[in-house]
Amino acid sequence: MVLWYDEPAPDTNEGWETRSLPIGNGAMGATVFGGVQAERLQFNEKTLWTGGPGVSDYNFGNWSAPRPGALAAVRQRIITEGQVRPEDVLATLGLPSDTPRHRRFGAYQSFGDLRMTFPGQGAAAEYRRELDISRGLAKVSYVAGGVRYTREYFATAADGVIVARLSADRPGKITMDTRIQVPANRTRAVTAADGRISVKGALASNGLRYETQAQVSSQGGTRADRADGSVSVAGANSVTVVLAAGTDYANDYPAYRGDDPHQRVSQLVDSAARKGFLGLLAGHVRDYLALFSRMSLGLGGRMPNAPTDDVLAGYGKDPAADRALEELFFAYGRYLLIASSRPGSLPANLQGVWNNLEAPPWQSDYHLNINVQMNYFPADTTNLAETAGPFYDYVDSLREPGRVTAREMYGVQQGWTAHHASNIYGWTGAWDHTAYFFPESGAWLSEQLYDHYRFTLDKQYLAAKAYPVMKETAQFWLEFLQTDPRDGKLVALPSRSPEIGPSTAGASMSQQILWLLFTDVREAAGILGDTAFAAKASDVLGKLDPGLRIGSWGQLQEWKTDIDNPNETHRHVSHMFAVHPGKQISPRRTPALAEAAKVSLNARTDAGTGWSKAWKINFWARLLDGDRAHKLLADQLKTSTLPNLWDTHPPFQIDGNFGATSGVTEMLLQSHLGVIDILPALPAAWPDGNVDGLRARGDVTVGITWRAGKPTEIRLTPGQGGEIVVHSGMLGSQVRVYQDGTQLRHTTDGDELRFIPRNGADIRVVAEG
Ligand code: FUC
């Protein structure tokens, strides 16, 4: 569980993107370059964004003046002409292209660089730079001038800081200068006193106040503060640096400002510095392991004794090495989620928490038409539910600005909406690009809040968090849905399959998302006793077009009319939503639709950007084709993965890491159809293996051991009472079910096994004889 390299990352943009190693505690992230004479830790804090309130004409993406009749006119044109160009929808409902959208929307910012230089240090031998994801620790070590130098780095959520320790195997050998550099787009006051470097100021864009502090503590030797704000150490045995950063951002509509960060940042650094390196390390490892060690996956891999970039480059040559890389890549997705999404901060953005630029790709924002959703695909399944807390809070926080957007842009009186991308300042309105029109994003996001309930069955969470969001989303759609004059069905209008094709009525993905929204809302309303709203949802479901059609070439139609082009290879394959994360299409329950989905996926080819390949792993797993899912995973490793194992679109975009980890999970365990499906899509490449700690809907934790492609033992830990239904090829033969050392009564029917646990103790299902 280690990524390692025999050289530093070059101190360039490309070096950052492809080779630096990420650490993070959710709120903060840093990347380690590991240069011998000069170390660079580029660092981030989630709330440092340009744009938003503070930019004079910030308007949340809403129209600057009412456009009476605009929506009705677009709708009428689509009904009359069948389809219109997305450019025309943009011209009528979007932002004019001369709007300075980027200035107002803003972008996620690099906070700065912690630079450490080591004067007089010569050439290094035995160099190694590593990231140990089994403990959340980065390390650089080498020998220079007969001395072994070691640098250790971690970002701890337990203490809210980033920690560096520099040591040597001989006393008095650490001599270094430390400074913090920040990008040009802000004011700055830089000071150093008592080993504490402090940089503070405000972003030029929006006046957002920021502050970062680093405490340099030396053991032995001498330490001096410099007038230029750097701190130098000479002849120390070791040096510890703790770094914190913050802004006066608060996720609080409409001003999005809170307290000045000075006190918070000072307290974090003061208290961390008092704890010292070993105390911080112990706290970090405890906190990290509490999440990371909840699950494990073994595929029988054998990692070659070679740097990770070489292992990646050699992928596809040796099956045992391939499996080792796949195990590592899977676990890395979990590592990255823990590092970039923890309670108390914002969700993981397009780059998680890591960005080195003032103008990052796609603003390093929250794209709501697949990307942020994909970030959280693996949260529940891989037993990291807590990491999704910031995501649910963020979605919840979009409601307030989203109500204004729904009212001002569409005349919808109840409910909220957001479109295809948002920032940290409640941008729920339009955009100056044809991709923007995607008011279904709120419905998709709501589905994820409800899916989390399915894993936990936590009614308090459902009542307090998920249901209010879902219901208000459904309220928007109650008003926004239109009756299609062609067949009297309720449809989204306008409706576009994300980023491809014309604007129409009732594109498949829109309808599939809305089918899921109203199905979930009906179920949730039933559980919570909101019978009036359950009835409303039922009523909509009775009239809603479900978005499922098989077209002239056997394909699953992407639009309501049969206009799919069999030669289209666009990376978005949104009409597969019903396969994943939706549940309308499955080989066992709707075989004809599942075949049609395969026809469409084959036509689109296996090519695509990083996240596109990652999503396709999930699709093929849900279509129960493990070999094809594995082929997509292999394609992703070969063509969409950087030497530091970050996913690349290109450029670096983290969603593909999370999507791939989710895809592996879907190959091993599925539970979206109310049954715990064991090894539903196991590829031939993984004949033997072991997994523990996976989570299934219904609050069950699952472990599986398999040999020669067949499960030999299934382990289930139920969190609740009630019947458990397991689907597995193992059940072809007789099985025994044990709990507390004695057998549990069960029934089998074909590949399905049913039983009621006596209590919460572990259950073992084994083949008889
Ligand atoms: C959508 C996708 C792109 C990219 C961007 C962040 O626009 O179509 O591929 O993922 O989001």
Side-chain angles (χ1 to χ4, degrees):
M1 293 292 110
V2 177
L3 289 72
W4 70 273
Y5 305 83
D6 55 10
E7 57 195 1
D11 189 355
T12 60
N13 183 45
E14 198 196 335
W16 179 87
E17 183 188 354
T18 63
R19 294 188 170 269
S20 71
L21 293 174
I23 55 174
N25 63 16
M28 286 189 78
T31 52
V32 177
F33 285 71
V36 172
Q37 281 87 23
E39 173 67 287
R40 174 182 176 198
L41 255 67
Q42 184 277 325
F43 68 95
N44 291 96
E45 196 277 335
K46 280 257 186 65
T47 65
L48 191 72
W49 266 73
T50 55
V55 173
S56 58
D57 47 359
Y58 186 66
N59 64 358
F60 303 88
N62 296 331
W63 296 337
S64 45
R67 300 181 193 175
L71 177 63
V74 179
R75 285 178 161 165
Q76 192 50 52
R77 255 194 79 186
I78 290 173
I79 285 173
T80 313
E81 298 168 26
Q83 58 181 63
V84 308
R85 296 182 324 138
E87 290 78 6
D88 295 342
V89 174
L90 175 69
T92 320
L93 304 179
L95 292 184
S97 57
D98 59 355
T99 322
R101 184 257 298 166
H102 278 98
R103 188 166 63 78
R104 299 192 303 184
F105 184 91
Y108 184 44
Q109 296 297 305
S110 174
F111 217 106
D113 295 291
L114 180 70
R115 300 255 182 199
M116 297 178 278
T117 48
F118 307 93
Q121 205 153 100
E126 296 176 42
Y127 180 92
R128 180 177 164 114
R129 184 172 57 107
E130 68 170 46
L131 179 62
D132 176 355
I133 65 168
S134 67
R135 293 191 304 154
L137 300 178
K139 194 163 152 185
V140 174
S141 93
Y142 54 88
V143 175
V147 179
R148 172 159 297 277
Y149 293 92
T150 304
R151 306 177 197 154
E152 292 151 284
Y153 304 109
F154 59 90
T156 169
D159 288 285
V161 293
I162 288 171
V163 183
R165 185 180 57 176
L166 303 98
S167 58
D169 66 357
R170 297 232 312 265
K173 287 293 173 190
I174 305 294
T175 293
M176 60 188 275
D177 294 321
T178 306
R179 73 186 68 235
I180 294 176
Q181 287 175 342
V182 299
N185 63 358
R186 61 201 73 171
T187 62
R188 84 209 53 196
V190 188
T191 58
D194 296 327
R196 177 77 56 102
I197 302 168
S198 151
V199 183
K200 60 177 136 186
L203 291 179
S205 154
N206 57 9
L208 188 79
R209 272 143 62 183
Y210 74 90
E211 179 156 346
T212 175
Q213 295 181 24
Q215 178 65 46
V216 180
S217 312
S218 52
Q219 290 79 42
T222 56
R223 187 187 68 194
D225 307 322
R226 294 255 175 81
D228 66 358
S230 63
V231 170
S232 62
V233 171
N237 302 328
S238 68
V239 169
T240 301
V241 183
V242 295
L243 174 77
T247 74
D248 68 349
Y249 169 83
N251 192 357
D252 193 3
Y253 175 85
Y256 293 93
R257 288 291 187 281
D259 297 336
D260 186 277
H262 176 72
Q263 223 184 332
R264 212 165 1 105
V265 171
S266 307
Q267 274 168 5
L268 285 172
V269 176
D270 289 350
S271 109
R274 266 198 307 274
K275 275 195 186 165
F277 178 76
L278 290 177
L280 292 167
L281 178 64
H284 166 62
V285 172
R286 201 179 316 120
D287 168 78
Y288 178 75
L289 286 184
L291 292 167
F292 187 78
S293 66
R294 278 187 198 155
M295 77 153 292
S296 62
L297 170 65
L299 299 171
R302 203 173 49 246
M303 188 59 88
N305 184 20
T308 303
D309 45 346
D310 293 346
V311 176
L312 179 65
Y315 179 81
K317 298 200 179 92
D318 164 12
D322 293 353
R323 288 195 296 269
L325 185 63
E326 288 157 0
E327 290 165 359
L328 182 65
F329 192 56
F330 170 80
Y332 194 45
R334 296 184 72 240
Y335 168 80
L336 291 171
L337 192 56
I338 298 169
S340 67
S341 192
R342 298 295 299 274
S345 187
L346 291 159
N349 59 40
L350 280 172
Q351 296 183 177
V353 59
W354 301 280
N355 164 41
N356 64 327
L357 300 173
E358 291 173 41
W362 290 287
Q363 304 76 233
S364 194
D365 65 21
Y366 297 100
H367 262 55
L368 312 179
N369 69 357
I370 171 63
N371 314 92
V372 79
Q373 285 93 342
M374 182 173 280
N375 285 1
Y376 290 94
F377 282 171
D380 273 301
T381 51
T382 73
N383 218 333
L384 295 175
E386 296 88 336
T387 61
F391 173 54
Y392 306 143
D393 291 342
Y394 175 76
V395 173
D396 196 357
S397 78
L398 291 178
R399 279 200 287 162
E400 214 174 342
R403 283 175 202 141
V404 180
T405 297
R407 203 169 53 235
E408 290 188 359
M409 292 177 59
Y410 304 130
V412 168
Q413 295 308 313
Q414 275 194 305
W416 70 285
T417 192
H419 294 82
H420 89 300
S422 190
N423 58 9
I424 66 168
Y425 303 118
W427 183 288
T428 47
W431 194 266
D432 58 2
H433 188 277
T434 54
Y436 101 84
F437 191 82
F438 189 64
E440 294 85 353
S441 63
W444 186 349
L445 296 166
S446 298
E447 185 270 329
Q448 277 179 290
L449 266 72
Y450 188 62
D451 205 34
H452 174 60
Y453 164 75
R454 286 179 196 281
F455 280 92
T456 59
L457 306 180
D458 176 353
K459 282 204 187 119
Q460 229 180 327
Y461 158 82
L462 181 64
K465 196 78 185 175
Y467 187 62
V469 175
M470 298 161 69
K471 181 171 178 177
E472 205 177 338
T473 309
Q475 278 165 329
F476 172 82
W477 285 99
L478 281 175
E479 287 185 52
F480 199 69
L481 278 165
Q482 299 290 299
T483 300
D484 189 336
R486 291 174 292 185
D487 59 6
K489 292 285 187 191
L490 288 177
V491 287
L493 175 65
S495 158
R496 186 167 183 230
S497 203
E499 311 197 19
I500 172 172
S503 290
T504 63
S508 302
M509 184 198 225
S510 305
Q511 300 306 123
Q512 295 168 5
I513 290 176
L514 295 172
W515 179 88
L516 196 52
L517 171 71
F518 282 101
T519 302
D520 289 349
V521 165
R522 180 173 58 183
E523 195 172 289
I527 293 165
L528 297 174
D530 188 353
T531 46
F533 208 72
K536 266 193 192 160
S538 264
D539 187 44
V540 170
L541 285 168
K543 299 179 196 147
L544 188 76
D545 183 314
L548 303 173
R549 283 185 179 76
I550 300 175
S552 55
W553 45 280
Q555 87 281 16
L556 185 71
Q557 282 181 213
E558 188 159 6
W559 294 276
K560 191 166 176 176
T561 46
D562 190 351
I563 55 172
D564 301 70
N565 174 358
N567 300 316
E568 178 62 69
T569 58
H570 198 285
R571 65 190 177 285
H572 283 265
V573 212
S574 303
H575 46 319
M576 298 300 128
F577 180 90
V579 175
H580 179 276
K583 57 183 178 181
Q584 284 163 292
I585 299 180
S586 69
R588 291 196 195 111
R589 298 200 181 164
T590 57
L593 287 166
E595 279 312 307
K598 289 182 190 169
V599 170
S600 291
L601 276 175
N602 282 327
R604 281 297 233 275
T605 78
D606 291 349
T609 58
W611 65 257
S612 171
K613 290 193 185 88
W615 203 359
K616 288 169 184 170
I617 304 171
N618 293 268
F619 295 146
W620 284 108
R622 286 271 179 103
L623 291 168
L624 309 182
D625 187 337
D627 287 338
R628 188 65 171 273
H630 183 263
K631 189 218 168 228
L632 263 307
L633 174 64
D635 287 357
Q636 187 173 349
L637 282 165
K638 281 184 217 152
T639 58
S640 300
T641 302
L642 300 167
N644 57 7
L645 301 191
W646 266 347
D647 168 71
T648 179
H649 183 277
F652 160 52
Q653 200 173 291
I654 206 160
D655 42 17
N657 283 104
F658 298 136
T661 291
S662 162
V664 169
T665 308
E666 294 289 336
M667 291 159 79
L668 302 172
L669 179 74
Q670 295 175 17
S671 62
H672 58 295
L673 299 175
V675 171
I676 297 176
D677 200 339
I678 303 293
L679 304 180
L682 189 70
W686 299 344
D688 306 312
N690 194 83
V691 66
D692 271 298
L694 284 173
R695 293 277 297 160
R697 292 169 187 82
D699 193 8
V700 183
T701 306
V702 181
I704 311 164
T705 302
W706 68 95
R707 294 282 169 267
K710 291 263 173 293
T712 53
E713 181 178 282
I714 302 167
R715 295 170 289 281
L716 304 162
T717 309
Q720 323 258 331
E723 187 181 55
I724 292 182
V725 187
V726 176
H727 184 286
S728 165
M730 173 187 188
L731 303 167
S733 51
Q734 288 292 309
V735 297
R736 286 192 193 166
V737 183
Y738 293 96
Q739 189 174 36
D740 293 329
T742 61
Q743 283 200 45
L744 206 58
R745 213 158 0 141
H746 67 270
T747 60
T748 51
D749 178 7
D751 284 344
E752 264 180 28
L753 165 75
R754 289 169 187 271
F755 57 86
I756 300 178
R758 281 186 214 114
N759 51 46
D762 294 355
I763 292 163
R764 284 190 322 120
V765 182
V766 291
E768 207 162 71

